[in-house]
Structure formats: structure tokens, C-alpha cells
Amino acid sequence: MPKMKTNSGAKKRFVLTGTGKIKRKHAYKSHILTKKGTKQKRNLTYFTTVDKADVKNIKLCLAMK
């Protein structure tokens, strides 16, 4: 049986932590930033973890079990 292919978009967007959680960046930080407040832009800078409901699908995209 052939190996599962990793989804190229997923491997660019998600990072695994040491404890097995999946990190992601926030959306809405790429353009149209003039109307967003400084506090909002600052808070969008940081990483966050993926929601529990999405973990299974993302692990499939990353060719993990």
C-alpha cells in the first residue's frame, strides 16, 4: 500500500508542539489593516491552538494517525 501524501497547504499552516497539540496563526492579519485597531492587530500576531473539533481532520491532512 502506498504512503499517504501530506497536504501541502496544511504543512505550511500548522506546527506540532512537543505535547502533541497543533499550533496555528490567527486570520485577518494580512491586509486591510488600517481599519483595525492596534490592540486587535497585536493580539492577532500570536499563535493559538487548533480547536478540538478540527484536530482529527488536520492530522489526516498532515498524514498522521
Side-chain angles (χ1 to χ4, degrees), residues 12-31:
K12 295 170 193 171
R13 286 174 172 83
F14 302 108
V15 182
L16 278 172
T17 63
T19 57
K21 294 179 183 174
I22 302 172
K23 286 197 310 186
R24 67 168 178 88
K25 295 214 42 159
H26 282 100
Y28 310 112
K29 187 72 193 329
S30 57
H31 60 95

Side-chain angles (χ1 to χ4, degrees), residues 1-45:
M1 184 154 198
K3 294 180 182 178
M4 271 183 67
K5 282 194 173 182
T6 301
N7 182 299
S8 299
K11 70 183 175 188
K12 295 170 193 171
R13 286 174 172 83
F14 302 108
V15 182
L16 278 172
T17 63
T19 57
K21 294 179 183 174
I22 302 172
K23 286 197 310 186
R24 67 168 178 88
K25 295 214 42 159
H26 282 100
Y28 310 112
K29 187 72 193 329
S30 57
H31 60 95
I32 314 176
L33 298 173
T34 52
K35 62 177 79 169
K36 294 173 185 142
T38 310
K39 182 178 179 180
Q40 182 185 5
K41 289 188 280 190
R42 182 175 63 246
N43 289 332
L44 290 173
T45 299

